[in-house]
Amino acid sequence: MQMVVDSLRTKGKIFKKMQEVNPKELGIRNKIKIYVATDINGYFWAIFAVSQKSRLLMKDVHKFEEIYSKLTLFCEHNFKQKILFIDAPLCSKAQKAFKEVGWKIQ
């Protein structure tokens, strides 16, 4: 969580509250860290952190959109921002698809 907070703080984003959501609560078996945060303006942020060695492909875009929809139902509200922290290479088509559905890649 510290890496996520530090990375966003350097870009000027400060949060009042940040809470980690266990993927098992959403019925997901993926190894992913999910954070729900509230910034100082009162906007809600969905932050996903993924650490994997293989490249993210188009099928992963659909997987993250599905996880995001489960998160909105679990938290009972929509999010202003969706951010994805990855350390794996990203397919160019997947990167374009992420941008089209409103994700920010870090």
Side-chain angles (χ1 to χ4, degrees), residues 50-61 63-64 84 86-95 98:
V50 180
S51 178
Q52 66 184 34
K53 293 179 184 176
S54 62
R55 179 181 295 250
L56 269 108
L57 303 171
M58 280 295 293
K59 67 177 181 174
D60 296 319
V61 175
K63 178 178 72 172
F64 284 117
L84 178 64
I86 57 171
D87 58 358
L90 186 63
C91 171
S92 62
K93 291 180 184 177
Q95 184 175 11
F98 273 123

Side-chain angles (χ1 to χ4, degrees), residues 7-81:
S7 176
L8 290 171
R9 186 178 296 151
T10 59
K11 296 185 184 215
K13 306 297 181 198
I14 300 173
F15 298 106
K16 288 191 288 190
K17 180 179 163 187
M18 184 177 251
Q19 172 183 344
E20 184 172 359
V21 177
N22 191 352
K24 289 184 180 179
E25 293 175 3
L26 301 176
I28 301 167
R29 293 178 36 197
N30 298 29
K31 292 184 179 179
I32 182 174
K33 298 215 183 256
I34 303 171
Y35 303 103
V36 176
T38 308
D39 65 3
I40 56 175
N41 296 326
Y43 293 121
F44 290 98
W45 293 53
I47 303 169
F48 292 15
V50 180
S51 178
Q52 66 184 34
K53 293 179 184 176
S54 62
R55 179 181 295 250
L56 269 108
L57 303 171
M58 280 295 293
K59 67 177 181 174
D60 296 319
V61 175
H62 303 298
K63 178 178 72 172
F64 284 117
E65 278 297 309
E66 184 179 317
I67 293 170
Y68 174 72
S69 65
K70 288 181 181 181
L71 184 64
T72 57
L73 292 174
F74 179 75
C75 294
E76 298 179 349
H77 59 75
N78 289 330
F79 296 93
K80 179 79 171 176
Q81 299 286 332

